[in-house]
């Protein structure tokens, strides 16, 4: 079965760093798109970053709020996608989710990090940035 398991969340001080992991099983990352999303209390879930590989090439996208601070990457051998988060701010506090869906034709992760593009979701990991 297709499963996604997030890990790496925790409590950090402002300016600190965390690396989140999204371990995939039941499929391989080739021809799949992976997105990172977050939801803070009282706010809508928002897209953070995505990465996709298809026959048409690879794509990476970031929300404006995290550009220059967050980096998404993948390790196909480990079937894992990472989100390196640097220079963390209190407003980054949220539950972070990874999501996946097939992307054989390279349609996803093009114009933004869009929730409706992903049908499979992990359970989330809490990130808290506080002094």
């Amino acid at each position: 079965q297709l499963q996604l398991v997030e890990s790496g969340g925790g409590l950090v001080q402002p300016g600190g760093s965390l690396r989140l992991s999204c371990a995939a099983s039941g499929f391989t990352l080739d021809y799949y798109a992976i997105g990172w999303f977050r939801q803070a209390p009282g706010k809508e879930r928002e897209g953070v970053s995505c990465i996709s590989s298809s026959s048409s090439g690879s794509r990476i996208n970031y929300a404006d709020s995290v550009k220059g601070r967050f980096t998404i990457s993948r390790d196909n051998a480990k079937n894992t996608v990472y989100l390196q988060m640097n220079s963390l701010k209190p407003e980054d506090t949220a539950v972070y989710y990874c999501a996946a869906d097939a992307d054989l034709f390279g349609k996803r992760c093009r114009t933004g990090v869009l929730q409706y593009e992903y049908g499979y979701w992990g359970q989330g990991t809490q990130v808290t940035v506080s002094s």
Side-chain angles (χ1 to χ4, degrees):
Q1 296 182 14
L2 193 155
Q3 292 185 334
L4 301 169
V5 179
E6 303 96 333
S7 62
L11 173 64
V12 297
Q13 294 183 340
S17 298
L18 284 174
R19 188 180 73 162
L20 305 184
S21 298
C22 176
S25 61
F27 69 102
T28 58
L29 296 180
D30 289 343
Y31 307 112
Y32 268 77
I34 303 293
W36 283 101
F37 299 82
R38 66 187 183 186
Q39 187 166 27
K43 295 185 177 181
E44 297 289 328
R45 183 156 52 186
E46 64 175 338
V48 176
S49 184
C50 58
I51 186 167
S52 183
S53 179
S54 71
S55 60
S56 61
S58 298
R59 293 163 303 284
I60 291 175
N61 228 316
Y62 296 98
D64 289 341
S65 59
V66 306
K67 286 181 179 177
R69 299 189 298 121
F70 291 10
T71 303
I72 192 169
S73 62
R74 64 187 178 192
D75 186 336
N76 289 346
K78 297 181 178 179
N79 226 37
T80 300
V81 173
Y82 303 97
L83 184 68
Q84 178 67 45
M85 306 186 296
N86 298 326
S87 302
L88 284 162
K89 305 174 181 179
E91 51 263 44
D92 295 318
T93 296
V95 177
Y96 283 70
Y97 301 89
C98 65
D101 218 327
D103 195 25
L104 180 62
F105 304 109
K107 296 176 61 178
R108 311 188 197 281
C109 195
R110 297 186 69 179
T111 62
V113 189
L114 306 176
Q115 184 174 179
Y116 68 81
E117 292 185 343
Y118 303 91
Y120 303 94
W121 293 77
Q123 296 300 305
T125 185
Q126 177 71 48
V127 172
T128 302
V129 185
S130 177
S131 59

